[in-house]
Amino acid sequence: VSAATWSAYDELGDEFVRRAEESPYNAYYDRPNTLSALGPVRGLSVLDAGCGPGVYAEQLVKDGATVVGFDASIEMVNRARSRLGDTATIDQLRLDERLPYPAASFDRALCALAIHYSSDRAMTFREFFRVLKPGGRVILSTQHPTVDWLRKGGSYFASQQETDSWATEHGEVEVTFWREPLSALCTAAIAAGFFIDLVHEPLPVASMEQVAPDTFAKLSQRPGFLILGLWKRDGTV
Ligand SMILES: C[S@@+](CC[C@H](N)C(=O)[O-])C[C@H]1O[C@@H](n2cnc3c(N)ncnc32)[C@H](O)[C@@H]1O
């Protein structure tokens, strides 16, 4: 049996906080692109699903949203709670279980780099659909399926759990995640009722070139992450 998908984050603790805050993939690639895809949030209620240490949630609060975040890792939950204080609610919950929030609670949901940790993406999308208000929208970022395939080999079409080994200051930490073809991810979202209204293969922001020129050059030529917009269409077709 593989370790829980969040146990690596319990182990990483502050080291992941630093990555989330500063690493080129987070600060200069995923965060600016997902927050821009989410659009203005002033006055909106936003669910931050798989919120980690709360770096995105903190920005959403600054931008005028009412934020509820959750994560399965108690270490991440504690760090998000101390970062956000009483400006947001942070719960310890899993992506692959029913959420305790009533139907139609949120205007937006953000799920940044976390869906590939859910062992039941169909359930995750059904819950996002349920807790969103009609007309609401999810912005989701994940590892680009072609990158997982190129890194791991085997069949592009397989949906299977994979393990990466991250070099950290405390040694190697094993991180398990799910890899699946693009069609499987999109089909799960569509089956839950969503319309896909954005397919974005983001580029790094220009300022990455100064801080991480090699990563900038690489991400300018090949994808790292994928961003999808999922819309809970208001009214009947
Ligand atoms: C790459 S981090 C992203 C955190 C945050 N969204 C960010 O980008 O800074 C992935 C997060 O997913 C959480 N996670 C892993 N498995 C999970 C699960 N099954 N349910 C909920 N959260 C999970 C981890 O604890 C971690 O905080």
Side-chain angles (χ1 to χ4, degrees), residues 21-227:
E21 285 171 347
E22 299 162 15
S23 94
Y25 274 88
N26 293 282
Y28 298 90
Y29 186 47
D30 188 68
R31 200 154 58 243
N33 279 297
T34 49
L35 292 176
S36 138
L38 199 59
V41 291
R42 182 158 303 281
L44 300 183
S45 54
V46 182
L47 177 66
D48 185 352
C51 63
V55 183
Y56 295 63
E58 183 177 40
Q59 186 60 49
L60 294 168
V61 167
K62 277 192 195 136
D63 293 343
T66 303
V67 178
V68 175
F70 74 82
D71 199 280
S73 154
I74 190 62
E75 293 294 327
M76 292 298 120
V77 165
N78 287 338
R79 282 160 178 83
R81 284 182 178 153
S82 53
R83 177 182 295 272
L84 288 147
D86 60 5
T87 65
T89 302
I90 305 294
D91 296 318
Q92 188 187 10
L93 299 169
R94 284 168 38 191
L95 280 163
D96 37 26
E97 67 181 358
R98 275 186 67 88
L99 299 174
Y101 313 118
S105 304
F106 300 100
D107 298 295
R108 300 280 182 276
L110 171 69
C111 185
L113 302 178
I115 191 75
H116 46 283
Y117 294 115
S118 171
S119 53
D120 187 350
R121 275 83 62 206
M123 161 73 116
T124 308
F125 287 129
R126 281 198 300 276
E127 283 298 275
F128 287 170
F129 192 85
R130 186 182 65 77
V131 302
L132 274 180
K133 297 177 190 171
R137 195 161 179 249
V138 184
I139 291 296
L140 177 100
S141 63
T142 188
Q143 294 183 167
H144 198 289
T146 58
V147 171
D148 285 342
W149 176 47
L150 289 170
R151 284 190 317 118
K152 295 292 183 183
S155 169
Y156 170 78
F157 296 105
S159 291
Q160 64 194 46
Q161 208 163 16
E162 297 281 5
T163 301
D164 278 346
S165 194
W166 290 5
T168 76
E169 58 194 28
H170 313 294
E172 297 284 312
V173 172
E174 305 234 300
V175 185
T176 59
F177 64 98
W178 288 86
R179 133 192 195 191
E180 63 183 351
L182 178 61
S183 53
L185 181 69
C186 293
T187 299
I190 292 165
F194 284 112
F195 284 71
I196 295 174
D197 72 358
L198 174 76
V199 178
H200 186 37
E201 293 173 309
L203 290 169
V205 296
S207 48
M208 190 202 278
E209 195 167 10
Q210 272 73 55
V211 293
D214 294 348
T215 310
F216 179 81
K218 183 167 130 187
L219 290 174
S220 301
Q221 296 209 347
R222 53 181 278 178
F225 300 156
L226 168 73
I227 298 178

